[in-house]
Amino acid sequence: MDSRNGLNAGWVPHVCALTALACCLIALAGWATGQPGIAGFGHPSYPMRPLTAAGFGLVALALIAAIWRQRAITLVLMLPVVLIAAGVALDYAGNAPTIADRLLLSIGRTARQGHPHGTLPGPMPIAMMILLAVATLLALREVSRRSKIVVMIASLVLGVTIIAGLAVPLGIVAISGPGQHVTLSLPLAITTASLALALIGWRHHNGWPGLLSAQGVEGRTLRTIFVLVLVAPAVLGLGGLWAASLPGIAPELVEMVEAGAHVLVSAAVLFWAWSRISRENNARWAVTRALDSAPIVLTDAEGRILHWSKGCENLYLWDAGEAVGRLKHDLLATTIDQDWPAMMAEITRTGACEREMVEQRRDGTRLHILEKAQLLPVRAQDAPLVVLSMTDITERERRAAALAARESELGSILETAPDAMIAIDDRNVIRSFNATAERMFGRPAGEMVGQDFRALMPERFRGQFDAGLAGDADTGGERSRLRSLVGLRSDGTEFPIELALGAAEVGEERIFTAFIRDVTDKLAAQERHAELRDELLHVSRLSAMGEMAAGLAHELNQPLAAATNFLGAAEMLLAADAPDSGKAADLVRMASAQTLRAGEIIQRLRTFVSKGDVEVHAEPIVDVIAGAVSLSLTSVEQQKIGIRYEPDAMHRTILADRVQIQQVLVNLIRNAVDAQRDRPDARPEILLTSRGVGDGMVEIAVSDNGPGIPEEILGSPYKPFNSTKPNGMGIGLSICRRIVEFHGGTMHAENRPEGGARIRFTVPAIGNAELAA
């Protein structure tokens, strides 16, 4: 036997067919043992007749053989059934026992008494037997049209069985009355109903039972209609038989009432079903229209388009009339790794598949499409259908490509960046380690990823880094302030670094990026720059000293000449016959004073010219300016030039290096003297002022009444090698500004409205309280 076909039929047909066969065997056993009560299932006056049991038993066996696709066995078993039906028909036609009846006389001898056809099936049973046999033979071939006829015949048998089987138990028809030929005994009713249900269950997908599995409102509606259609005719039929059995009621009236009841019930059922299905159809139509706006294609197994939605028209610009009937992948010039047969094999095996492809619109635009394919459930004998739903992922692919390009660009930047860039999490665990970091620390990235970031520092700096991790970096992705730390190379050597942290939130995690720069060369350059600056300041002072050399020689000549004269006079007094020792002593003291004066001049020059360390002290402004004037001007120049000083009585002390501030003032005073050297029209004047300007600063200004600063110089007065002097180097003001900025101040050059130039600068002030402390 082909067990696969039998098992596919389900358990319902088998159980029903075996139930019918069991009923027939029980009836035959009752007749064989001479107990008609067993053959009637407790009703000895109305049993299943032996020949009826034999015929229906053969039908049950034939049905089981048909379910298991055994055509030959089915036909062999049906042959006796046909002979029984034909013999019974001849027996009723000739009113004489047939050969079959005579063969069963010994079985039904007692039941035959009083019955001219005691062992023969009645008209109703023989009709049921013929209908079930025909339905079984039709069901041998799985053709949709034949299966529908099989279900219709089985349904007819089932409906008649309900009416004919319940007529006697309900007392509507008497066993010995005129209606006994249209009734069925209890075992026979169970047998015919079981066989009818077996046929319906076997071919349920081709008839109305298949509708009972529908979901939603339609399923509930159809199941309700099925119950009403199945029960209502039986109830109305039994009611009609009962009414006809009552005395005094005309049969015509019973028929009219029964027909009206049928019409009323049918109309009510139809109206109720129509209203519910109409509402569901309207909702389904709205959903269908909404779904039609999505790109969905229905194709056959070869990929030929059967349905082309509005969404596809909008996506691909092909009308449905132009697309239907063509192969989808040919129409859209699809580029795909998996061809159509491979896709069909996959969805046949798994039921659905998903793949990406490139397709072409009608205007030639290429689209990236995500296509989902699945088989549409159909009946076994129908050709398979494929549902394709498309999603346009062109923009997503474009963004993914742009993101990949940016990631590649970022990776290239990270690998070629001059700074070491190390990504760490909030537990200090290294996530990434670029090539610059590898070279800087001498450690490969594969070794460092997953390690503690603090291993890149000497142990004495690790706690300092932990303390600043959360405070220095913010979540805005910006760098924190630069921090000076010390790095540790793989060979154990330490080197200075500058570190800044940037932070970003990635999901629920906080990721830091450490930007690290090796500042070994930077610090060395800064140190060399400081040395060069000191050298330049020293050279500047030497240059200023060279310019003042003539005046300084005259300044020294005066005390030295006076000392020489005093000593000569003292010598003359001592050489006289009567020396005046007191007067000679006075002359020696005066010579000594002049010598000390010359020494003080030389000491101030040495202090100014020498290159010493910068020392900031509290210095009186008056003393600083007086010393600068003495260094800048000879006594002759002081007599020719009007010098005034207007101090601020509230700000008398500054915090500065005395020598450097005097260097600034010497440069400014000498520039003012040089600017007025060849002016016979007016007496040169130099004004020095000091005043408080707030923020703890004092402004010192040097003003003159000369021609002022030329416009070409005023635009950039501090530019090196830019001078109005014939032999000037042009670095004086540049050096002055550097000195002032080193003290935390600023310098400005301007021309006075009344004529002349003014250069002012600021230095830190120190108050009385600070001075006392």
Side-chain angles (χ1 to χ4, degrees):
M1 290 187 181
D2 189 352
S3 61
R4 181 186 58 190
N5 294 318
L7 293 175
N8 288 339
W11 60 271
V12 173
H14 292 87
V15 171
C16 293
L18 291 175
T19 300
L21 180 60
C23 291
C24 296
L25 293 177
I26 292 172
L28 290 175
W31 287 108
T33 59
Q35 299 180 24
I38 296 177
F41 288 7
H43 296 278
S45 58
Y46 201 38
M48 181 193 292
R49 300 180 185 179
L51 199 56
T52 304
F56 278 99
L58 291 173
V59 171
L61 289 173
L63 178 57
I64 293 174
I67 292 173
W68 288 84
R69 308 300 295 272
Q70 301 300 314
R71 297 173 61 87
I73 297 176
T74 302
L75 293 175
V76 170
L77 292 173
M78 280 299 178
L79 183 59
V81 175
V82 173
L83 293 177
I84 291 174
V88 171
L90 291 174
D91 182 74
Y92 275 104
N95 198 22
T98 63
I99 298 174
D101 187 39
R102 286 194 291 270
L103 291 175
L104 295 173
L105 283 179
S106 59
I107 298 175
R109 187 177 304 275
T110 57
R112 186 178 177 83
Q113 298 176 0
H115 298 284
H117 308 285
T119 59
L120 298 180
M124 181 62 72
I126 202 64
M128 298 294 100
M129 187 184 300
I130 293 173
L131 289 174
L132 291 172
V134 171
T136 302
L137 292 174
L138 290 174
L140 285 174
R141 296 186 60 185
E142 290 191 4
V143 180
S144 177
R145 182 165 42 85
R146 288 192 177 187
S147 295
K148 292 178 181 179
I149 296 174
V150 169
V151 173
M152 290 176 60
I153 294 174
S155 300
L156 174 63
V157 171
L158 183 61
V160 173
T161 297
I162 293 174
I163 298 174
L166 294 177
V168 173
L170 294 177
I172 297 174
V173 178
I175 296 176
S176 59
Q180 64 174 339
H181 297 293
V182 295
T183 61
L184 298 175
S185 62
L186 180 59
L188 182 56
I190 296 175
T191 300
T192 54
S194 298
L195 292 174
L197 290 174
L199 286 168
I200 293 172
W202 184 21
R203 291 289 181 253
H204 67 279
H205 54 271
N206 293 114
W208 54 263
L211 301 175
L212 301 180
S213 61
Q215 302 297 320
V217 176
E218 287 94 341
R220 294 191 296 272
T221 302
L222 291 171
R223 284 187 285 274
T224 304
I225 292 175
F226 166 70
V227 174
L228 293 175
V229 171
L230 188 64
V231 173
V235 172
L236 293 176
L238 292 174
L241 291 176
W242 173 77
S245 63
L246 296 177
I249 298 180
E252 293 81 3
L253 179 61
V254 173
E255 293 178 359
M256 290 177 62
V257 172
E258 184 177 357
H262 276 287
V263 172
L264 181 62
V265 171
S266 300
V269 170
L270 288 174
F271 177 76
W272 175 78
W274 173 82
S275 62
R276 296 200 63 179
I277 294 177
S278 177
R279 289 195 302 270
E280 182 67 15
N281 283 339
N282 291 336
R284 180 178 297 173
W285 175 245
V287 173
T288 301
R289 292 186 62 183
L291 290 176
D292 195 52
S293 63
I296 296 177
V297 176
L298 188 65
T299 71
D300 59 14
E302 287 75 31
R304 188 168 286 101
I305 299 172
L306 303 177
H307 173 73
W308 186 262
S309 69
K310 290 291 184 183
C312 289
E313 292 183 350
N314 297 331
L315 178 61
Y316 296 109
L317 305 181
W318 288 94
D319 294 336
E322 299 170 317
V324 172
R326 300 182 63 177
L327 295 175
K328 175 180 179 289
H329 289 178
D330 290 346
L331 174 67
L332 304 176
T334 303
T335 302
I336 190 172
D337 296 334
Q338 185 184 37
D339 58 10
W340 185 269
M343 185 271 290
M344 285 298 300
E346 181 177 352
I347 63 175
T348 301
R349 183 179 68 258
T350 63
C353 74
E354 182 176 286
R355 57 206 182 144
E356 293 184 11
M357 60 188 64
V358 177
E359 295 184 325
Q360 183 173 298
R361 301 171 67 179
R362 188 171 188 174
D363 61 0
T365 305
R366 305 294 289 177
L367 301 175
H368 287 268
I369 300 295
L370 177 63
E371 181 184 81
K372 296 180 180 180
Q374 61 182 11
L375 285 177
L376 186 67
V378 294
R379 292 173 297 186
Q381 64 272 22
D382 294 334
L385 299 178
V386 181
V387 178
L388 304 176
S389 59
M390 283 70 65
T391 302
D392 185 2
I393 58 173
T394 304
E395 183 63 19
R396 188 188 77 180
E397 291 297 312
R398 186 190 66 78
R399 292 180 180 177
L403 179 61
R406 286 197 296 270
E407 289 179 350
S408 176
E409 181 180 356
L410 179 60
S412 176
I413 293 173
L414 292 177
E415 291 303 316
T416 58
D419 292 347
M421 302 178 68
I422 304 174
I424 59 178
D425 60 18
D426 52 5
R427 297 173 300 169
N428 299 330
V429 176
I430 297 175
R431 295 291 189 85
S432 65
F433 203 77
N434 74 340
T436 305
E438 291 182 335
R439 293 189 296 270
M440 182 180 297
F441 292 96
R443 304 170 187 265
E447 175 185 324
M448 293 308 301
V449 172
Q451 299 296 319
D452 195 321
F453 176 75
R454 294 169 296 184
L456 300 175
M457 304 176 191
E459 190 169 353
R460 64 182 182 277
F461 289 97
R462 295 176 185 177
Q464 181 180 352
F465 176 79
D466 286 341
L469 178 60
D472 287 348
D474 55 26
T475 57
E478 300 179 356
R479 287 195 185 188
S480 68
R481 63 178 176 85
L482 286 175
R483 306 183 60 199
S484 297
L485 294 172
V486 176
L488 184 65
R489 292 191 173 94
S490 59
D491 59 2
T493 58
E494 298 181 2
F495 62 102
I497 61 174
E498 286 182 346
L499 180 144
L501 287 177
E505 299 292 340
V506 181
E508 298 181 355
E509 192 175 18
R510 198 179 189 198
I511 299 299
F512 299 90
T513 303
F515 302 88
I516 303 174
R517 177 171 296 176
D518 184 352
V519 294
T520 303
D521 295 338
K522 177 182 176 181
L523 294 180
Q526 288 178 351
E527 184 177 353
R528 178 58 180 161
H529 177 73
E531 293 175 357
L532 292 176
R533 183 191 63 191
D534 293 340
E535 292 287 345
L536 184 59
L537 291 175
H538 181 58
V539 170
S540 174
R541 289 197 291 272
L542 291 177
S543 176
M545 187 62 197
E547 293 179 4
M548 296 185 294
L552 292 172
H554 175 73
E555 192 74 15
L556 290 173
N557 283 333
Q558 287 182 351
L560 291 176
T564 301
N565 293 331
F566 291 148
L567 291 174
E571 184 181 2
M572 291 174 63
L573 288 175
L574 293 174
D577 294 335
D580 187 352
S581 59
K583 190 174 182 179
D586 290 339
L587 289 173
V588 172
R589 283 195 299 271
M590 292 173 65
S592 177
Q594 293 297 321
T595 305
L596 290 176
R597 178 186 170 196
E600 290 176 357
I601 294 173
I602 294 173
Q603 182 62 34
R604 288 201 302 269
L605 292 175
R606 288 184 61 189
T607 303
F608 179 73
V609 174
S610 64
K611 184 178 74 172
D613 295 333
V614 176
E615 295 183 359
V616 178
H617 300 285
E619 302 285 350
I621 300 178
V622 175
D623 294 347
V624 172
I625 292 178
V629 171
S630 299
L631 288 169
S632 304
L633 301 175
T634 65
S635 59
V636 175
E637 289 176 330
Q638 292 182 20
Q639 294 175 1
K640 292 182 179 180
I641 299 174
I643 296 181
R644 292 185 295 120
Y645 173 45
E646 298 178 357
D648 184 353
M650 301 298 296
H651 299 83
R652 301 179 179 181
T653 309
I654 61 174
L655 188 65
D657 181 274
R658 183 188 188 96
V659 173
Q660 288 195 351
I661 296 301
Q662 284 183 341
Q663 181 179 353
V664 172
L665 289 169
V666 166
N667 273 279
L668 298 181
I669 293 171
R670 293 306 304 174
N671 287 343
V673 171
D674 292 340
Q676 304 177 88
R677 190 176 297 279
D678 299 326
R679 292 192 64 200
D681 55 334
R683 184 189 181 196
E685 291 184 356
I686 297 176
L687 175 63
L688 294 97
T689 62
S690 64
R691 65 187 182 91
V693 293
D695 295 332
M697 304 296 286
V698 172
E699 181 183 84
I700 302 174
V702 179
S703 306
D704 62 58
N705 61 344
I709 303 173
E711 291 297 329
E712 63 273 13
I713 302 297
L714 188 61
S716 55
Y718 311 111
K719 182 178 180 181
F721 312 110
N722 189 14
S723 176
T724 59
K725 299 179 182 180
N727 299 318
M729 298 177 63
I731 61 174
L733 288 181
S734 176
I735 293 175
C736 290
R737 188 179 69 167
R738 290 179 180 272
I739 293 173
V740 170
E741 290 178 347
F742 171 77
H743 283 77
T746 58
M747 176 174 276
H748 300 280
E750 60 191 6
N751 286 324
R752 301 168 64 191
E754 62 271 22
R758 178 189 295 119
I759 297 180
R760 48 193 174 88
F761 63 92
T762 59
V763 290
I766 183 168
N768 294 331
E770 295 173 328
L771 187 60

